[in-house]
Amino acid sequence: MLIGTILQGKGSRVATVRPDATVTELLAMLADNNIGAVVVSEDGSSITGIVSERDVVRRLHDRGAEVLNAPVSSIMTTEVRTCPPTANVDDLRQAMTTHRIRHVPVVADGRMVGIVSIGDVVKSSIEILETEKASLVDYLHR
């Protein structure tokens, strides 16, 4: 299965936040959208960084409550791993596990076309296994 297939099912909407937004504004966005990470972008299609709930928790621990008024750019991850829609789900799952990455923006022709989480990738893998199991059970019962 390809990553593009996952995006067909979940949609291509990607929550983004500007680098100069405050961490408090970021937290509101995460809560309002019930998501765990947001792509940091100046224009909504380019990728400047990515920031997650974990980034906020770690910086709160390091710096205290003052981080809530800091810009998102001060806590974001700047080295963002991306993948194309043509990437194989199994390959991405392995890379996400190896590098301990939970969210990967999907990029095609230089622009962001979606985002997948480790949950999306695992869910698709389970669906494939369930389909294969059903086929094998059906074959055995013929």
Side-chain angles (χ1 to χ4, degrees):
M1 180 182 283
L2 302 179
I3 295 301
T5 306
I6 293 175
L7 290 182
Q8 287 174 355
K10 76 175 275 186
S12 61
R13 183 179 177 282
V14 180
T16 62
V17 64
R18 292 183 48 81
D20 58 351
T22 67
V23 173
T24 299
E25 292 169 325
L26 165 69
L27 288 172
M29 178 178 284
L30 291 170
D32 291 346
N33 292 289
N34 194 30
I35 54 177
V38 176
V39 173
V40 182
S41 176
E42 289 282 350
D43 58 11
S45 63
S46 63
I47 301 171
T48 305
I50 193 165
V51 64
S52 70
E53 297 165 322
R54 286 182 171 205
D55 294 320
V56 175
V57 169
R58 288 186 177 122
R59 297 304 87 72
L60 272 170
H61 176 73
D62 294 344
R63 302 183 202 166
E66 70 216 26
V67 77
L68 296 173
N69 294 318
V72 169
S73 60
S74 71
I75 68 165
M76 70 183 181
T77 300
T78 55
E79 291 183 29
V80 181
R81 288 185 180 262
T82 64
C83 73
T86 56
N88 180 285
V89 170
D90 291 332
D91 294 341
L92 184 61
R93 184 182 70 246
Q94 185 173 7
M96 292 175 86
T97 302
T98 300
H99 299 288
R100 300 177 58 99
I101 299 168
R102 287 178 166 65
H103 300 88
V104 175
V106 182
V107 176
D109 299 322
R111 66 178 189 86
M112 195 166 36
V113 296
I115 189 167
V116 291
S117 69
I118 190 69
D120 299 325
V121 171
V122 168
K123 179 183 173 191
S124 73
S125 296
I126 290 170
E127 289 171 355
I128 291 168
L129 290 172
E130 288 175 347
T131 301
E132 289 175 357
K133 176 187 168 193
S135 295
L136 289 171
V137 168
D138 183 53
Y139 175 78
L140 290 173
H141 289 285
R142 287 184 190 184

